[in-house]
């Protein structure tokens, strides 16, 4: 039986061949993506604005300050605020108390506010800071404040209501929760890709920073693009130059694709949550927008910059007088310009609502020419590594029947790793290419262990040994009492030697993989590619390539 027939019947060799074929197909179909250090581009370091703090404040004092009264009483789950004289109907909702009820008294107005103490504090902070505030922990209560704030500025805001941040290092911390940082990363990633950009890498660090790699883009363009996403908000005009908050972007549940009507007008349909629809209706009624839409424009803001402004349509104004409306449409204009504006507004509505604002605190650029140079240098370094490995193997064994299978196995492992990289659409950078070179080195070490065990039970002879590899292999076969290739690869002696080799290899592979795990989470992720490709390479080599090589070298050396 020929060598090819033997190999084609071995399931380990067949599995190895299938992995190699699949990898080559993936590389051909999806190609390889390169990071900015190999393709050129820019990177931005963003700092998320926000802090987590405890707040010592009396909700009753806050309501007294907000409604300019001394009469505040808590009854059950509500607060009763008695205000001398009449009260503007829009005042409670402008302060964030959307479900407040008002009742006229003799020379006074009673305002019933169904709210918890924490809700009162949140509304006060949101109004004073013009930012989103959430509770992230109870006992003690910790508030996540999603804007640029310090302990001193928060104390100054709380001073008029007799409040403060409690003393202690653990009562105020710059940064945000991992969930908020992850949400911000997701929105940035999605929005950048929706803008048509490719090869975007968004990474997090320390709950305060995000690093974005933009391959193929200069720093100025990157700053312009990344600087646009921000906190989305809808406000309604109250007076000529005044407006009040209605809702944030998290109240927008879904956004449809832009559409044009028969007259050529373009609009962006979107759907509000039930709470958002109720808040929108109440704001429209309280401000008088349902009766006089032209005097009360609805304005959408992104990072406090207006991206859309228009009055309610007559149909919507009439509907809102009777019931909330979840389905809305923002009409932006006609023609090609209207189409482009509609696409931009769709992005703002769908992905523009960053949970927090960001500051660009660092940037850098790698030119396309320098990236190309790095790529060429890394390819040359890989080829030199392979040639050096081939030379050392030949010097050790002086037998091309061993050198060629080793080199083929190493090259195949590289191809399989690149196939996984291509299928996952990960970027190749300098660190990951360095990891490939390291995998080649460690892989050949393990192939040498297998070869030595197969030849002489682990007692490697020097290169100057008088006996050839063929002679030592024949002796191994004779000791096993066999002479055919198929018998050699199934003998107890041969399998015992492979078991010893794989015991060493598995131990080394496990140690390498465990050592790489911390690098997956260090820094801004600059070493992630290095660690990840080594872990993948070690896993593929140990489970697929090494078993196949053990069978291949056994078949080859047993043939005289």
């Amino acid at each position: 039986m020929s060598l090819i027939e033997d190999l084609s019947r071995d399931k380990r060799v067949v599995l190895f061949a299938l992995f190699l074929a699949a990898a080559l197909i993936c590389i051909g179909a999806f190609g390889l993506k390169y990071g900015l250090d190999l393709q050129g581009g820019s990177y931005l370091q963003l700092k998320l604005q926000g802090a987590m703090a405890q707040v010592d404040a009396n909700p009753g004092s806050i309501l007294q300050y907000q409604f300019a009264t001394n009469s505040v009483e808590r009854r059950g789950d509500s607060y009763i605020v008695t205000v001398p004289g009449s009260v503007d109907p829009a005042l409670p909702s402008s302060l964030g108390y959307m479900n407040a009820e008002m009742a006229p008294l003799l020379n006074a107005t009673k305002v019933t506010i169904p709210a918890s103490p924490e809700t009162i504090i949140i509304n006060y902070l949101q109004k004073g800071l013009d930012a989103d505030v959430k509770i992230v922990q109870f006992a003690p209560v910790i508030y996540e404040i999603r804007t640029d704030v310090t302990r001193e500025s928060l104390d100054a805001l709380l001073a008029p209501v007799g409040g403060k941040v409690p003393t202690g290092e653990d009562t105020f911390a710059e940064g945000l929760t991992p969930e908020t940082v992850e949400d911000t990363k997701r929105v940035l990633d999605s929005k950048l890709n929706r803008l048509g950009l490719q090869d975007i890498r968004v990474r997090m660090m320390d709950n305060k920073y995000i690093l974005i790699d933009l391959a193929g883009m200069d720093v100025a363009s990157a700053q312009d693009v990344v600087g646009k996403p921000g906190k989305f908000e809808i406000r309604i005009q109250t007076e000529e130059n005044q407006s009040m908050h209605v809702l944030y972007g998290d109240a927008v549940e879904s956004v449809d694709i832009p559409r044009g009507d028969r007259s050529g007008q373009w609009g962006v349909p979107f759907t509000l949550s039930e709470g958002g629809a109720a808040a929108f209706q109440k704001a429209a009624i309280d401000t008088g927008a349902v009766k006089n839409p032209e005097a009360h424009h609805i304005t959408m803001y992104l990072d406090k910059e207006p991206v859309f402004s228009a009055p309610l349509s007559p149909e919507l104004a009439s509907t809102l007088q009777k019931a909330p409306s979840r389905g809305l449409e923002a009409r932006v204009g006609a023609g090609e310009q209207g189409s482009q504006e509609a696409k931009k507004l769709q992005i703002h509505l769908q992905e523009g609502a960053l949970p927090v604002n960001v500051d660009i605190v660092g940037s850098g650029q790698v030119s396309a020419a320098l990236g190309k140079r790095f790529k060429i240098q890394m390819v040359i370094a890989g080829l030199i590594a392979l040639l050096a490995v081939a030379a050392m193997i030949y010097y050790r064994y002086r037998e091309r029947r061993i050198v060629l299978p080793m080199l083929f196995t190493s090259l195949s492992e590289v191809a399989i790793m690149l196939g996984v990289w291509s299928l996952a659409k990960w970027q190749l950078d300098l660190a990951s290419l360095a990891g490939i070179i390291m995998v080649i080195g460690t892989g050949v070490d393990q192939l040498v262990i297998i070869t030595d065990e197969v030849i002489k039970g682990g007692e490697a002879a020097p290169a100057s040994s008088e006996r050839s590899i063929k002679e030592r292999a024949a002796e191994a076969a004779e000791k096993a009492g066999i002479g055919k290739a198929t018998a050699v690869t199934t003998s107890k002696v041969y399998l015992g030697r492979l078991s010893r080799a794989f015991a060493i290899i598995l131990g080394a592979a496990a140690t390498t993989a465990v050592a790489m795990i911390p690098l997956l989470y260090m820094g801004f992720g600059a070493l992630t590619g290095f660690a990840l490709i080594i872990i993948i390479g070690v896993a593929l080599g140990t489970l697929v390539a090494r078993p196949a090589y053990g069978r291949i070298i056994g078949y080859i050396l047993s043939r005289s």
Side-chain angles (χ1 to χ4, degrees), residues 247-451:
L247 51 86
Y248 288 111
D250 56 3
V252 180
E253 284 194 345
S254 63
V255 183
D256 293 335
I257 61 174
R259 65 187 183 190
D261 58 19
R262 295 180 179 179
S263 64
Q265 293 287 330
W266 283 88
V268 181
F270 61 98
T271 303
L272 298 178
S273 64
E274 291 186 5
F280 190 84
Q281 180 203 25
K282 184 171 179 57
I285 293 175
D286 290 346
T287 58
V290 293
K291 296 182 179 179
N292 187 10
E294 293 296 332
H296 302 280
H297 279 215
I298 309 299
T299 305
M300 300 179 183
Y301 291 86
L302 193 61
D303 277 345
K304 301 182 181 180
E305 293 293 329
V307 295
F308 172 83
S309 183
L312 296 174
S313 67
E315 299 83 5
L316 181 58
S318 176
T319 300
L320 291 176
Q321 293 185 50
K322 304 173 184 177
S325 178
R326 296 186 61 190
L328 304 177
E329 182 177 10
R331 297 177 181 174
V332 294
E336 181 62 26
Q337 182 177 357
S339 174
Q340 295 300 319
E341 290 297 323
K343 291 179 180 178
K344 291 181 181 179
L345 183 58
Q346 179 200 15
I347 294 173
H348 294 325
L349 282 167
Q350 197 165 30
E351 302 292 351
L354 281 182
V356 296
N357 292 331
V358 296
D359 292 326
I360 299 175
V361 296
S363 62
Q365 183 170 336
V366 177
S367 67
L370 186 58
K372 183 177 180 180
R373 181 180 175 185
F374 285 156
K375 192 187 304 182
I376 294 173
Q377 289 177 340
M378 289 303 296
V379 171
I380 293 174
L383 292 175
I384 292 175
L386 281 175
L387 291 174
V389 166
M392 293 302 297
I393 294 172
Y394 187 79
Y395 177 78
R396 178 178 179 83
Y397 296 107
R398 304 295 176 86
E399 177 63 62
R400 66 180 181 181
R401 292 190 308 161
I402 293 179
V403 175
L404 294 179
M406 278 193 179
L407 289 179
F408 175 76
T409 303
S410 294
L411 286 172
S412 299
E413 285 185 53
V414 171
I416 293 174
M417 285 188 290
L418 293 178
V420 173
W421 224 250
S422 176
L423 182 63
K425 297 183 180 180
W426 292 330
Q427 292 181 355
L428 278 172
D429 53 17
L430 290 175
S432 56
L433 291 181
I436 290 176
I437 294 176
M438 181 175 173
V439 170
I440 292 174
T442 58
V444 170
D445 286 344
Q446 296 174 1
L447 297 181
V448 167
I449 293 173
I450 294 174
T451 305

